[in-house]
Amino acid sequence: MSKQPVDLNDPLSGYKQGGMNARSYDVTGIDTRLRYDSSRTPPFTVMTSMPSKS
């Protein structure tokens, strides 16, 4: 998800203006790190998401 619109014809396609109604889309080249803590709900928290070299 991007803050800015990913479809210039649809300004609500980005989170900044579309908010929770913004659409998700497939991406490549991203690493996501999760942290597990059984005392949380949900138990997995996204700690970081960053560009990666595949």
Side-chain angles (χ1 to χ4, degrees), residues 35-45:
R35 182 172 182 121
Y36 177 78
D37 183 346
S38 62
S39 67
R40 294 178 166 230
T41 303
F44 292 98
T45 303

Side-chain angles (χ1 to χ4, degrees), residues 7-19:
D7 179 356
L8 297 178
N9 296 317
D10 181 7
L12 298 181
S13 65
Y15 183 76
K16 191 173 183 180
Q17 292 175 324

